[in-house]
Amino acid sequence: MNKNQLINFLTSLSEKETYYKKNPNHISSFYDKLEKRNIKTFGEVYSFSFDAEKEKQDNNKDITNLSQSVQFQISRQTRFSNVPLHVHDFVEMNIMYSGEATALILGKEIKFKKGNVCILDTNVPHTIKPLGEQDILINLIIQKKYFDTTMLSRLSNNGIISNFLLDAISNTQKHDKYIIFDCQNSNLLLNLVENLLCEYYNPSFCIKDTIDSYMILIFIELLKSHQENETSSYKSSNKIYIGEILQFIEKNYSNCTLESVSKEFLFHPNYLSRYIKQGTGLTFKEIIQKQRLNKACSLLKNSDLTINEICECIGYKNETFFYKKFKEHFNSTPKEYRDSNLSN
């Protein structure tokens, strides 16, 4: 499927949408098969399971050639349809591809615009009001283990700024909430989403790896958007966002010091030390060490550099100290780590 075919598929009315457009009060019989749960302050709500949602998609005649990924499903929100208040046992990512939508999440009305992305954790009561013909909302339903085994586990090795943003997002959600990313200015995000959908609806060679790769790129774009929006918000209040400091450290980890970073951001070293600790839960030295060890892992897996050369490259002058810290952090020596990754 190419992008022109994708756009035609996304914008054309399906049989169900044509029916719902003519019968705006109709409620799908799909909900008759679902269990209900009593949620405090919300009363009885429908409970979606990943398996039930997968079965619905597999039986959807409007979609063909779907990837049979066990942990992952993609669908387009059916326009004109009424969706009752519900919860689910999977993580849901809503991407507003075009138009706009009105969601009701935890009793709060929220407007989605093109480029907005909402990630809902499990057990969050929510619904989407009926969409109009120009409103295209893409739904990704993802089992929670997918984040642990595939995406976040790989992103977490990218560096301290990724770790910090992932932790920040996780803390925002508190595992029973949601987070909205404002990516309205990101043409790259929508391009990545289109590529993902083209692959998903017309699976080709190495489809699972391809989809996983696009998901990682999409999540990186969400992290970048989160970083940029937080930076902009802090600048408007004449403050420095901690993410900017971590980004600087990540780029200069091999030779920066507390004093040099303080000078860069016009802070007193003692104040910067407290600011970093308060914002990340780690000391400056711990952050530097974490970034150096992450880089060491990358070099051990992806280069032919000797361990001594890697030690020098990441800023450790004492090889014995490097071995000690690596062993403490990864419970293996650098050589054992390299050998185990070469054998995989």
Side-chain angles (χ1 to χ4, degrees):
M1 179 181 286
N2 60 40
K3 290 193 178 181
N4 288 333
Q5 292 171 324
L6 173 69
I7 292 171
N8 182 63
F9 166 72
L10 292 177
T11 55
S12 298
L13 289 181
S14 67
E15 292 182 12
K16 286 185 177 182
E17 289 174 325
T18 301
Y19 178 82
Y20 286 131
K21 187 176 182 180
K22 294 178 181 178
N23 301 273
N25 296 319
H26 178 77
I27 302 294
S28 172
S29 59
F30 168 75
Y31 298 103
D32 296 336
K33 304 176 184 178
L34 299 179
E35 295 181 357
K36 288 186 177 182
R37 290 179 53 189
N38 198 296
I39 305 293
K40 187 177 180 180
T41 75
F42 295 97
E44 277 197 338
V45 301
Y46 287 95
S47 180
F48 285 33
S49 70
F50 183 86
D51 291 338
E53 188 69 17
K54 185 177 185 301
E55 181 182 351
K56 182 180 74 170
Q57 290 195 37
D58 290 343
N59 293 331
N60 190 344
K61 296 179 181 179
D62 300 318
I63 300 174
T64 59
N65 296 323
L66 286 178
S67 163
Q68 297 302 308
S69 173
V70 176
Q71 301 176 347
F72 197 100
Q73 292 286 312
I74 303 177
S75 67
R76 179 195 61 181
Q77 179 81 12
T78 303
R79 288 166 289 183
F80 309 108
S81 66
N82 288 285
V83 181
L85 195 66
H86 63 279
V87 296
H88 42 60
D89 66 0
F90 49 82
V91 175
E92 182 176 34
M93 180 185 290
N94 304 130
I95 303 172
M96 201 72 222
Y97 178 80
S98 66
E100 58 184 32
T102 301
L104 191 66
I105 306 176
L106 290 170
K108 181 180 179 181
E109 189 170 282
I110 299 172
K111 298 287 187 180
F112 292 166
K113 295 183 179 180
K114 179 181 178 180
N116 285 165
V117 177
C118 176
I119 297 180
L120 286 154
D121 207 337
T122 56
N123 301 317
V124 179
H126 67 285
T127 186
I128 299 286
K129 292 186 177 181
L131 301 178
E133 190 162 342
Q134 305 305 315
D135 307 324
I136 307 298
L137 182 67
I138 306 300
N139 299 321
L140 285 69
I141 65 171
I142 311 163
Q143 287 184 307
K144 294 199 77 167
K145 60 184 178 182
Y146 179 83
F147 288 90
D148 297 329
T149 60
T150 302
M151 187 163 59
L152 300 191
S153 60
R154 288 169 65 178
L155 279 172
S156 64
N157 291 325
N158 284 352
I160 52 174
I161 187 63
S162 296
N163 278 319
F164 170 74
L165 292 174
L166 291 170
D167 287 343
I169 290 168
S170 178
N171 290 336
T172 300
Q173 283 190 268
K174 296 181 182 176
H175 304 293
D176 63 351
K177 297 293 188 293
Y178 64 95
I179 184 168
I180 296 175
F181 297 89
D182 183 0
C183 303
Q184 295 182 63
N185 298 321
S186 174
N187 292 324
L188 176 58
L189 176 71
L190 293 180
N191 186 50
L192 290 169
V193 170
E194 287 177 340
N195 289 337
L196 171 68
L197 293 174
C198 286
E199 290 290 338
Y200 186 81
Y201 289 128
N202 189 21
S204 57
F205 181 67
C206 293
I207 182 61
K208 184 180 184 302
D209 290 337
T210 302
I211 285 180
D212 288 346
S213 297
Y214 275 125
M215 281 301 296
I216 289 170
L217 290 172
I218 287 170
F219 213 88
I220 287 173
E221 191 63 18
L222 295 181
L223 294 181
K224 285 169 60 180
S225 173
H226 180 80
Q227 162 86 349
E228 290 167 1
N229 290 337
E230 288 294 309
T231 298
S232 176
S233 176
Y234 272 76
K235 282 184 176 178
S236 66
S237 60
N238 295 318
K239 294 180 181 180
I240 298 293
Y241 173 48
I242 185 67
E244 290 183 273
I245 298 171
L246 296 180
Q247 202 167 33
F248 179 83
I249 293 173
E250 189 168 294
K251 291 178 180 178
N252 301 278
Y253 68 92
S254 63
N255 57 13
C256 71
T257 64
L258 182 62
E259 287 70 24
S260 66
V261 179
S262 299
K263 185 176 181 180
E264 175 70 21
F265 291 94
L266 305 178
F267 284 155
H268 188 280
N270 291 342
Y271 176 81
L272 178 63
S273 179
R274 291 194 300 270
Y275 189 59
I276 290 174
K277 177 69 174 179
Q278 183 181 20
T280 67
L282 300 173
T283 66
F284 177 81
K285 286 184 178 180
E286 288 170 336
I287 286 175
I288 292 291
Q289 182 173 289
K290 190 170 186 177
Q291 179 61 19
R292 286 177 174 176
L293 293 176
N294 282 344
K295 183 63 175 178
C297 289
S298 178
L299 293 173
L300 286 167
K301 289 189 290 187
N302 303 302
S303 81
D304 295 325
L305 293 175
T306 67
I307 293 174
N308 182 60
E309 289 171 333
I310 290 174
C311 185
E312 292 179 359
C313 181
I314 63 175
Y316 281 119
K317 297 180 181 180
N318 187 319
E319 190 172 338
T320 302
F321 180 77
F322 166 61
Y323 267 82
K324 178 184 176 183
K325 291 301 177 183
F326 195 96
K327 178 76 171 179
E328 288 177 357
H329 198 76
F330 298 105
N331 198 32
S332 69
T333 67
K335 184 180 185 306
E336 290 169 343
Y337 183 88
R338 169 173 274 172
D339 291 343
S340 66
N341 280 278
L342 287 175
S343 62
N344 289 337

